[in-house]
Amino acid sequence: MGKYFLFKILLPFFLAVAAIAQDVPAPPSSPVTSPALSSTSSPQVTVGDLLAQGLRAYRTGKFDAAVEEYMTVLQQDPKSGEAYAGLTRVYLKQEKVQTAFETASKGVSEVSDSPATHTALGEVYFRQGKMVESEGEFRKGVNTTHPEARAYLGLTRLYDALSLHARARKMLEKAHGLDPADPEIQRHWMGTLSRSERIRVLEEYLSNPTNDEKEDRESLQRHLELLKARVKEPDKTCKLVTKPASIETNLTPIMYNPTHLEGYGLTVKINGQSSRLLLDTGASGLLINRKMAERAGIKQLASTKIGGLGDKGDSEGHLGYADSIKIGGLEFQNCLVDIWEKRSVIGDDGLVGADFFSHYLVTLDFPHEKLSLQELPKRPEETEKTAGLTTNKDEDDEDPAAPPEPHDRYVAPEMKSYTTVWRFGHFLLIPTTVGDVASKLFLIDTGSSRSSLSPEAAKEVRKIQESNAVIRGLSGSVKQVYETKDIALEFGRLRKENPDIKVFDLSKTSKYPGVEVSGILGITALGFTSMRIDYRDGLVDFDYDKSHWRGISLTDFSKGSK
């Protein structure tokens, strides 16, 4: 899966007064100032001063101080939309999502004409995975005489996830123009810069206090080191040196034990050394273990952290260049790979993310154990195409001096029946109905041997009970595992009945996209299908041949079964 996801750089970073009016102290008879600022000889501290101090505290990671300032504002001015919005963002940063929702909702109720409160509520909806509601609130934040920079940022995140990248860039430019000092806007803006500009801006960013979590700041520092290392080797650019229009190669079943399928493996030659890697739509790029790296003679370029499912935390790793990577009829040269310091990894020698082939239409035909790659349909404005490979760190490989021009999603006529997914880096989140409950976002994860639910999602439809099942990932075992019975999952055009499904905390998985991931579609759901993925346009399609799987309770609505 989801067993492996690197904390990539320049990803979205996210950020109530509890419940009701009683939770916000009533305005006092005389103005109240922050105790730390109160003095008989000092001038009166205004609401504007307190809001500025709260914002400064928030942006430098002093969240408790920010809460104090914003609460003091609400004592003086219970109709301050900026204070409600500030509190909401602090609570989101502290992962107090329900409190953030209550605060933003209270703010919209009290100050319904405030763009700030609507924008903050949109940010909460985004974190909850309520994308339609989120867009509606963000639009209220921009369709006003004084638009909110954070509302434009929210639309940036939404449109990027929908593969509307040109539209997202326009929103980001508006956000940056209104508030270039906002840390979240800054981090997104870095992704539009050339390598040399990114180094300069990232150095400046890291020289000041920020509101990043410790591991995120460390990740940014490692990314800076990698950028500097790559400047020293400008010729090391990942390129496809054989360019077939299509290829087909075999997938090999990987068994957890004699009766349980772990997933499907792919034969990959790295510097001439053959390896079997677990094909994983929940992972990114290529990860190999230390033993495989030693066999292939890959030298360390920069350090990194590697993590996934499990409760032990991230592990040490490093990055290095592979001179040659061969998969079927494809050969790539000078590509970065991630190397896990341990000698064993799930999937024999490592993992290969399906986004490795994101410039192709990827078909994973599990019933016939085949991987196929075809050219993507040309956009109407395109004249020629060059297929490529996506490694974990090659976003600016094509031209370090000029990042590629963004494009919006193109749905070719032959793809009209495909399902739109929300794409966050390598994560593909698909709307999934759990029983009769409203649609939620599930991770498409061929690297997970089971489908699973978060406790919150499971409790909406069934009672859960403790399970002795063992769930393992790159970060060890999951300590608390539950299960529930007889739940149907409906995704794309398919409905899969699950006699039992495992339930465990998915908060770490949700942190990567900054959106609530309510479940995982693992190989127990996907392994009966032929799945097509268009990473460029955020589209997937599933085909199910009932004759191939007798007795499997899977319904294909496209064939008139519903």
Side-chain angles (χ1 to χ4, degrees):
M1 117 159 198
K3 289 193 176 76
Y4 162 48
F5 53 88
L6 293 178
F7 289 98
K8 298 182 76 174
I9 313 306
L10 306 174
L11 297 169
F13 287 75
F14 312 88
L15 295 185
V17 185
I20 341 279
Q22 300 86 305
D23 298 311
V24 180
S29 56
S30 59
V32 175
T33 61
S34 174
L37 300 169
S38 213
S39 170
T40 56
S41 60
S42 299
Q44 176 64 52
V45 178
T46 67
V47 164
D49 293 332
L50 292 169
L51 286 171
Q53 289 161 189
L55 180 62
R56 190 179 307 113
Y58 166 76
R59 289 183 172 181
T60 55
K62 300 173 182 177
F63 299 132
D64 290 340
V67 169
E68 181 181 348
E69 302 294 352
Y70 289 131
M71 292 292 283
T72 303
V73 171
L74 288 172
Q75 288 180 320
Q76 294 193 28
D77 180 8
K79 298 289 186 180
S80 173
E82 289 79 7
Y84 280 112
L87 273 174
T88 298
R89 293 189 183 109
V90 173
Y91 292 142
L92 283 175
K93 269 292 192 179
Q94 295 175 325
E95 292 296 323
K96 299 175 182 178
V97 179
Q98 182 59 31
T99 306
F101 174 70
E102 292 166 357
T103 303
S105 299
K106 174 67 174 173
V108 168
S109 175
E110 290 291 322
V111 202
S112 60
D113 61 347
S114 167
T117 59
H118 285 290
T119 299
L121 182 57
E123 292 178 39
V124 178
Y125 280 143
F126 187 93
R127 175 61 183 81
Q128 293 174 327
K130 298 177 180 178
M131 306 310 227
V132 174
E133 295 89 338
S134 177
E135 183 180 19
E137 296 300 322
F138 289 142
R139 288 194 175 278
K140 293 174 183 176
V142 299
N143 294 331
T144 176
T145 54
H146 300 288
E148 288 281 310
R150 298 280 304 204
Y152 283 120
L153 175 63
L155 291 172
T156 298
R157 294 161 65 192
L158 275 168
Y159 294 152
D160 261 335
L162 276 176
S163 299
L164 300 171
H165 303 301
R167 194 178 305 181
R169 176 68 65 85
K170 292 178 181 178
M171 296 298 101
L172 181 57
E173 288 170 353
K174 290 179 181 293
H176 190 259
L178 287 171
D179 193 356
D182 182 287
E184 283 86 359
I185 293 174
Q186 283 184 345
R187 289 191 290 265
H188 279 77
W189 186 252
M190 289 181 207
T192 71
L193 304 177
S194 67
R195 189 181 297 165
S196 60
E197 291 173 320
R198 195 180 305 178
I199 289 172
R200 177 183 58 79
V201 172
L202 191 50
E203 283 181 328
E204 181 180 350
Y205 180 87
L206 291 171
S207 68
N208 298 303
T210 68
N211 60 7
D212 300 309
E213 293 186 17
K214 181 175 180 289
E215 58 266 29
D216 293 328
R217 191 174 176 86
E218 290 173 350
S219 184
L220 287 167
Q221 185 63 52
R222 288 192 298 271
H223 184 63
L224 176 60
E225 293 168 2
L226 174 62
L227 290 174
K228 290 180 176 180
R230 299 188 72 180
V231 166
K232 298 175 182 177
E233 299 184 79
D235 296 331
K236 291 280 191 179
T237 299
C238 186
K239 294 295 182 184
L240 179 64
V241 294
T242 60
K243 302 178 181 179
S246 63
I247 70 162
E248 181 178 279
T249 190
N250 293 328
L251 295 173
T252 305
I254 296 176
M255 306 302 294
Y256 178 73
N257 59 40
T259 59
H260 289 85
L261 180 68
E262 179 75 25
Y264 287 87
L266 187 63
T267 299
V268 179
K269 284 191 174 182
I270 304 171
N271 291 350
Q273 299 296 312
S274 184
S275 65
R276 187 175 71 165
L277 308 181
L278 179 69
L279 184 58
D280 190 348
T281 57
S284 181
L286 192 149
L287 166 70
I288 57 177
N289 60 27
R290 180 159 55 92
K291 182 178 179 180
M292 182 63 215
E294 290 170 351
R295 283 169 46 201
I298 297 177
K299 297 179 180 179
Q300 180 173 348
L301 176 70
S303 62
T304 189
K305 290 278 189 179
I306 296 169
L309 282 182
D311 296 326
K312 290 186 177 179
D314 298 340
S315 301
E316 295 295 328
H318 65 267
L319 295 154
Y321 281 110
D323 296 328
S324 170
I325 298 174
K326 293 182 179 180
I327 304 170
L330 298 178
E331 181 179 4
F332 300 90
Q333 293 181 354
N334 299 323
C335 297
L336 279 173
V337 298
D338 290 280
I339 300 164
W340 202 31
E341 290 299 336
K342 298 183 180 179
R343 286 187 169 269
S344 63
V345 70
I346 297 167
D348 288 3
D349 298 311
L351 310 170
V352 54
D355 74 335
F356 210 60
F357 313 106
S358 62
H359 294 280
Y360 285 102
L361 176 63
V362 181
T363 300
L364 307 179
D365 187 347
F366 295 119
H368 297 97
E369 299 178 356
K370 297 289 183 181
L371 163 70
S372 301
L373 304 176
Q374 293 88 31
E375 286 188 326
L376 286 165
K378 291 182 180 179
R379 297 187 182 96
E381 70 274 15
E382 283 184 313
T383 56
E384 64 178 81
K385 295 172 59 66
T386 300
L389 167 152
T390 296
T391 69
N392 291 323
K393 306 291 180 294
D394 70 350
E395 293 91 343
D396 52 355
D397 267 344
E398 293 189 8
D399 183 356
E405 193 70 23
H407 295 276
D408 283 341
R409 177 181 65 214
Y410 169 61
V411 182
E414 63 269 30
M415 293 182 174
K416 296 287 187 185
S417 63
Y418 281 41
T419 299
T420 298
V421 294
W422 298 87
R423 182 183 175 192
F424 296 89
H426 59 280
F427 269 27
L428 301 176
L429 303 185
I430 185 168
T432 301
T433 301
V434 184
D436 297 323
V437 174
S439 178
K440 300 180 181 298
L441 295 180
F442 275 52
L443 174 65
I444 297 174
D445 186 6
T446 61
S448 178
S449 61
R450 310 169 186 261
S451 296
S452 56
L453 286 170
S454 70
E456 295 79 12
K459 289 174 183 177
E460 289 189 44
V461 289
R462 292 283 191 277
K463 291 182 178 180
I464 63 174
Q465 60 189 34
E466 289 190 5
S467 171
N468 59 5
V470 177
I471 306 291
R472 294 190 182 93
L474 288 184
S475 295
S477 298
V478 176
K479 292 178 181 178
Q480 292 184 310
V481 180
Y482 304 89
E483 63 183 22
T484 188
K485 304 288 185 180
D486 302 321
I487 287 183
L489 301 177
E490 187 176 320
F491 56 96
R493 304 191 307 268
L494 302 180
R495 181 181 177 89
K496 174 71 169 63
E497 304 290 341
N498 296 272
D500 70 278
I501 193 164
K502 303 310 172 190
V503 178
F504 55 91
D505 180 22
L506 293 176
S507 59
K508 185 177 180 181
T509 304
S510 298
K511 184 177 179 181
Y512 173 79
V515 171
E516 187 69 19
V517 177
S518 295
I520 293 172
L521 295 176
I523 206 67
T524 52
L526 303 172
F528 305 107
T529 73
S530 178
M531 177 170 58
R532 289 176 287 276
I533 306 173
D534 173 1
Y535 278 98
R536 183 191 70 184
D537 303 302
L539 300 169
V540 299
D541 191 40
F542 303 93
D543 186 56
Y544 167 65
D545 184 355
K546 190 174 182 178
S547 65
H548 196 89
W549 298 102
R550 295 181 181 178
I552 299 298
S553 183
L554 190 63
T555 304
D556 186 343
F557 296 150
S558 69
K559 299 177 180 177
S561 302
K562 193 172 182 179

